[in-house]
Amino acid sequence: MQTTHLVILALYLLAMVGIALYYARSAKVGGGEDFLFAGRSLSSPVMIATLLVTWVGSGTIIGGANFAYTYGPVAGLVFFAGTPLGILVLLLAAGRIRRAARHTVPELLEARFGTGVRTVAAAVTTIAYLGLVASQFVGGGYVVALITPLTPTQGTLLVAAVVTLLTVTGGLFSVAYTDFVSAILILFSLFIAVPLVFAAVGGPGAYWDGLPEQAATATGGLSGLQLLGYFLPLFLLLLADQNLYQRLAAAKDERSARFSTLGMLVSSFFVFIPVVLLASAAAVLMPGINGDESVLRLASEGYLPAVLGGLLLAGAVAFVITTGSSFMLSAASNIAFDLFARFGGDRIGDRGTLIVQRTSVVAIALVAIGLGLYFPTVLDLQMYSYTIYGAAMTPAVFAVLFWRRATTAGAVAALVVGAAATVGWELAGAPGDLNGVIVALPAAVAALVGVSLLTKAPSAERESSGESAGA
């Protein structure tokens, strides 16, 4: 533990709490709409930052780093390749998403498939996002334990408290502006850290020669199917990620939404490439450590100057806090708009919806803490959560956009089968060391297509409503 690291982390956390309290005291958050969409007033720089930092949380700096540490830089780049490819697809739909401006993805599905699909989709989304919130809490616990005398469990509780405070106070206002500050900190610390760590290794040649034998191969010793099992969850989650859809809906206009998505695409390379290089360099410098801590230990073990190491560790906490608050806010919107308001909550008005959202945030935090204790690593937890959402939700969302023949029964089948296959595969112990997406995605698509073809085609009116939602 270094005093410099501790001081920098404390200053960062105080700054984040200060921003949250500012928006809690301001008159900006007038109701549930402002809480979720920040008054649809976010500028392009803030939009780019919040899109980027919402996406790259502990799944990047801890889970993704673990993968690159274990399987090497080439496999690590394949793991992360789902992000830029997914953003390119999202870029084509950014204007449509802003134009639709729905509260949640389940609400988007309802326009085409009806209330029942919305309810099932809301349940699936909430379950998946609970896992993603939990992964941020656990990842934050790792960082705090490296910097302070606290244990990982105590660090997890501290991070959970800060994330919950940020989210429950100002909603997207506080989340987006803390994202902006965090993005600057993260990009700066990663950019400076790479050449310093490579100097510690002895240069690019010594780096490559020092990699474990399997880490120097194109697949890191994984089979093609195993590698695909790591690539697909990230790609599928991004294609239909409710967090990103809500951020784009919060843009000032369609042009800003498209420009912000392009900015996210470019800036993502300045995060993923450094993380892969740093984590794989840690495999040379510190073989045999917990891969979850690979990038973090470069800072805490003295391979970086104290101030820069402190900034990198604070940046890791920034990843965790901003992504955790985003997923928490998004899951609370499912409870408030898709479940509570749908079944009698409309009578309480916008202010009442705000109370439900804030109460839901606290409940999500408590469940996520318990879930985080079940999974052994952040990588395991993120793969499970990504797959539940990506395999179940993405086929249904793409059916709204691209397949008119899809029916309500087919959409329900895809949601249920995709989620059930993921959970069942996990409970079976992931046979063959394959991630659940390899089974869950084909099962969900087959259920969507098969049940849709066996049931009555949707009416022209229903097709029209679906098109307007995705237009």
Side-chain angles (χ1 to χ4, degrees):
M1 180 181 70
Q2 293 195 29
T3 303
T4 303
H5 294 169
L6 193 58
V7 170
I8 291 173
L9 177 63
L11 290 174
Y12 169 75
L13 292 177
L14 286 173
M16 297 301 98
V17 171
I19 293 173
L21 293 177
Y22 169 78
Y23 283 104
R25 290 169 57 86
S26 75
K28 290 182 178 295
V29 184
E33 288 280 329
D34 287 339
F35 190 78
L36 183 60
F37 290 131
R40 293 194 172 93
S41 62
L42 300 181
S43 63
S44 291
V46 175
M47 277 291 300
I48 292 171
T50 193
L51 284 168
L52 175 67
V53 182
T54 290
W55 183 248
V56 288
S58 70
T60 298
I61 198 72
I62 296 174
N66 186 346
F67 187 87
Y69 178 90
T70 304
Y71 299 110
V74 179
L77 291 175
V78 173
F79 174 86
F80 283 122
T83 292
L85 292 176
I87 296 173
L88 284 173
V89 177
L90 197 64
L91 181 61
L92 299 176
R96 292 185 174 191
I97 295 168
R98 174 61 183 83
R99 196 153 59 243
R102 305 283 175 170
H103 296 102
T104 66
V105 167
E107 185 179 357
L108 182 69
L109 295 177
E110 180 190 33
R112 170 71 180 274
F113 299 121
T115 305
V117 171
R118 179 178 181 177
T119 303
V120 175
V124 170
T125 303
T126 302
I127 291 170
Y129 281 12
L130 279 169
L132 292 171
V133 171
S135 71
Q136 308 311 310
F137 290 172
V138 174
Y142 283 144
V143 185
V144 172
L146 287 174
I147 302 174
T148 73
L150 298 177
T151 66
T153 299
Q154 292 169 333
T156 295
L157 295 175
L158 174 63
V159 170
V162 174
V163 172
T164 303
L165 176 64
L166 282 175
T167 311
V168 83
T169 50
L172 186 56
F173 275 115
S174 61
V175 170
Y177 286 98
T178 54
D179 283 356
F180 182 72
V181 174
S182 299
I184 295 173
L185 177 63
I186 291 163
L187 292 173
F188 172 79
S189 58
L190 287 175
F191 181 77
I192 300 298
V194 170
L196 294 176
V197 169
F198 266 64
V201 172
Y207 157 77
W208 189 261
D209 292 338
L211 288 172
E213 183 177 352
Q214 71 171 20
T217 65
T219 65
L222 297 170
S223 69
L225 201 57
Q226 287 175 320
L227 192 57
L228 182 64
Y230 282 103
F231 164 83
L232 280 176
L234 205 64
F235 177 67
L236 292 172
L237 175 65
L238 194 145
L239 291 182
D241 184 15
Q242 179 173 270
N243 255 315
L244 300 183
Y245 279 42
Q246 288 171 337
R247 291 298 188 280
L248 294 173
K252 290 193 292 188
D253 50 42
E254 292 177 34
R255 181 178 179 276
S256 177
R258 284 190 292 268
F259 180 79
S260 300
T261 307
L262 182 60
M264 179 191 179
L265 173 64
V266 174
S267 59
S268 68
F269 289 99
F270 293 95
V271 173
F272 299 133
I273 292 176
V275 166
V276 167
L277 293 175
L278 290 172
S280 52
V284 178
L285 294 169
M286 298 176 288
I289 66 170
N290 180 354
D292 276 350
E293 300 176 359
S294 55
V295 173
L296 308 178
R297 293 276 290 271
L298 290 172
S300 66
E301 298 293 331
Y303 290 101
L304 296 172
V307 172
L308 181 60
L311 290 176
L312 182 60
L313 290 168
V317 176
F319 269 131
V320 168
I321 287 177
T322 52
T323 303
S325 58
S326 295
F327 279 110
M328 186 180 282
L329 176 64
S330 192
S333 72
N334 290 118
I335 296 172
F337 290 102
D338 295 320
L339 300 175
F340 185 83
R342 192 66 188 169
F343 298 103
D346 288 337
R347 296 187 298 274
I348 66 173
D350 199 32
R351 291 292 299 179
T353 302
L354 174 60
I355 294 173
V356 174
Q357 286 174 289
R358 284 176 163 158
T359 304
S360 299
V361 165
V362 177
I364 288 165
L366 295 174
V367 176
I369 289 171
L371 188 60
L373 299 176
Y374 175 77
F375 284 86
T377 70
V378 171
L379 183 60
D380 290 335
L381 185 53
Q382 77 181 77
M383 286 295 103
Y384 172 72
S385 302
Y386 287 176
T387 300
I388 281 187
Y389 190 88
M393 292 289 292
T394 302
V397 171
F398 269 54
V400 171
L401 299 175
F402 301 114
W403 194 35
R404 295 183 178 183
R405 182 61 179 80
T407 66
T408 297
V412 171
L415 290 167
V416 172
V417 169
T422 302
V423 175
W425 194 257
E426 180 69 27
L427 292 176
D433 287 330
L434 294 175
N435 283 324
V437 68
I438 296 297
V439 173
L441 178 62
V445 172
L448 172 69
V449 174
V451 175
S452 291
L453 294 178
L454 291 172
T455 52
K456 183 179 179 182
S459 65
E461 180 181 354
R462 176 66 72 184
E463 287 185 19
S464 176
S465 66
E467 287 172 5
S468 65

